[in-house]
């Protein structure tokens, strides 16, 4: 009766650094590795310990980044806490066409730019349970200088106020709980009426009329079997 679009959707996930989005996204990918794809961004930031080229980011110089901006390589890009970050255009359309959801793990300015380009994308904001917890997580990472942590905290604090621009907000008090909520949001989005492409009759009108008029209508569907 109803045919909905079977294309994938763009899922934008933002969170202040330290809100725990990395772990959440990893779980979302594990839950549905065939139908979900995480876009790997390019950045001019130096790799943190344990990060891998092509997995966490494509690490390029600031000069190379600026060159790619000119070449229209990015769907969106921004300068965040002194470093450039950008989403390569490559592959996104192909994945969406194949029915694969594309996750963009980007900050707020980038999310705003995606909203202008693709308003039907799904925008989810992950919140830390409290600012105190945010500081704890930022410091606990132990990978950055105090000055950088303060810069990130200030950026994060500003970001929290932007939450109303998103469609959904999920508080990351407990990872599995947050993942469950995001799974429900993704499922619900697939049922949105604006994804309907066609409403059609799957039974001939005469047949429906006959069924409506027939007093002995067999609503069991078992026919003469029993
Ligand atoms: P981090 O340095 O902690 O990996 O990332 C800093 C911020 O940049 C995070 O909020 C992250 O989501 C965001 N980010 C990562 N890649 C991109 C991107 O391609 N575009 C934008 N706009 N933000 C990004």
């Amino acid at each position: 009766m109803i045919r909905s679009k079977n294309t994938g959707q763009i899922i934008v996930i933002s969170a202040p650094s330290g809100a725990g989005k990395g772990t959440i996204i990893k779980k979302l990918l594990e839950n549905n590795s065939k139908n979900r794809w995480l876009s790997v961004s390019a950045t001019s930031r130096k790799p943190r310990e344990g990060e891998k080229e092509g997995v966490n980011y494509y690490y390029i110089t600031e000069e190379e980044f600026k060159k790619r901006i000119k070449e229209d390589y990015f769907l969106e890009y921004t300068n965040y806490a002194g470093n450039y970050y950008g989403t390569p255009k490559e592959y996104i359309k192909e994945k969406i066409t194949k029915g694969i959801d594309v996750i963009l793990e980007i900050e707020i300015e980038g999310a705003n730019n995606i909203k202008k380009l693709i308003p039907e994308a799904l925008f989810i904001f992950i919140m830390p349970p409290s600012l105190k917890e945010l500081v704890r997580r930022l410091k606990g990472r132990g990978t950055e200088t105090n000055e950088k942590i303060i810069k990130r905290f200030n950026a994060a604090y500003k970001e929290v106020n932007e939450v109303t621009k998103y469609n959904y907000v999920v508080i990351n008090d407990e990872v599995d709980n947050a993942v469950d909520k995001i799974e429900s949001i993704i499922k619900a989005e697939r049922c949105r009426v604006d994804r309907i492409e066609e409403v059609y009759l799957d039974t001939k009108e005469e047949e429906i009329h006959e069924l409506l008029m027939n007093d002995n209508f067999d609503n069991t569907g078992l026919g003469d079997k029993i």
Side-chain angles (χ1 to χ4, degrees):
M1 285 179 80
I2 277 172
R3 184 167 46 241
S4 289
K5 282 182 198 158
N6 54 12
T7 49
Q9 49 189 349
I10 293 189
I11 304 168
V12 174
I13 300 185
S14 302
S17 45
K21 69 176 174 296
T23 321
I24 291 178
I25 290 176
K26 197 165 160 259
K27 291 211 170 196
L28 288 171
L29 292 170
E30 280 166 8
N31 285 354
N32 196 343
S33 57
K34 263 205 268 164
N35 298 310
R36 279 180 198 154
W37 181 75
L38 174 68
S39 159
V40 178
S41 298
T43 184
S44 64
R45 151 164 102 57
K46 297 272 172 293
R48 289 192 191 114
E49 215 182 295
E51 287 186 347
K52 287 198 185 93
E53 164 74 18
V55 176
N56 301 90
Y57 287 104
Y58 296 107
Y59 300 93
I60 58 178
T61 60
E62 192 170 320
E63 195 188 358
E64 174 65 19
F65 201 102
K66 287 181 177 162
K67 188 171 149 255
R68 293 196 193 181
I69 294 173
K70 282 201 194 117
E71 291 166 355
D72 200 24
Y73 176 82
F74 298 112
L75 184 64
E76 64 73 39
Y77 69 90
T78 196
N79 191 306
Y80 180 91
N83 298 302
Y84 281 98
Y85 297 85
T87 307
K89 280 185 185 169
E90 227 179 348
Y91 306 126
I92 293 184
K93 213 169 183 176
E94 180 193 322
K95 300 283 177 192
I96 296 292
T97 312
K98 284 186 180 157
I100 296 168
D101 289 340
V102 170
I103 300 178
L104 304 183
E105 195 242 283
I106 60 178
E107 52 66 68
I108 285 179
E109 202 182 295
N112 279 336
N113 289 331
I114 295 289
K115 202 168 189 177
K116 282 180 212 144
L117 278 174
I118 313 158
E120 66 275 20
L122 169 59
F123 295 86
I124 302 174
F125 194 89
I126 300 171
M127 281 268 205
S130 68
L131 288 177
K132 208 165 150 190
E133 177 62 15
L134 182 69
V135 173
R136 202 184 64 77
R137 289 184 193 173
L138 279 173
K139 289 204 144 185
R141 214 156 30 180
T143 52
E144 256 139 320
T145 60
N146 236 357
E147 188 198 352
K148 283 230 163 121
I149 289 173
I150 292 169
K151 225 174 179 179
R152 278 178 181 272
F153 178 81
N154 287 336
Y157 186 70
K158 248 205 270 168
E159 284 181 343
V160 167
N161 289 308
E162 301 278 322
V163 62
T164 52
K165 292 187 177 154
Y166 287 70
N167 302 120
Y168 296 92
V169 57
V170 171
I171 296 170
N172 183 19
D173 43 4
E174 206 271 308
V175 174
D176 287 338
N177 201 6
V179 171
D180 271 358
K181 284 184 193 160
I182 296 176
E183 290 291 0
S184 305
I185 293 167
I186 295 173
K187 262 190 221 154
E189 282 294 303
R190 286 211 167 260
C191 303
R192 284 177 72 103
V193 288
D194 49 17
R195 280 184 67 88
I196 295 176
E197 273 187 333
E198 193 188 0
V199 181
Y200 61 95
L201 281 178
D202 58 357
T203 312
K204 284 196 190 116
E205 267 182 68
E206 310 88 80
E207 225 176 297
I208 294 169
H209 185 75
E210 206 176 309
L211 289 171
L212 290 170
M213 290 308 169
N214 187 349
D215 285 339
N216 302 317
F217 177 57
D218 174 15
N219 65 1
T220 66
L222 291 167
D224 294 332
K225 277 183 239 161
I226 47 174

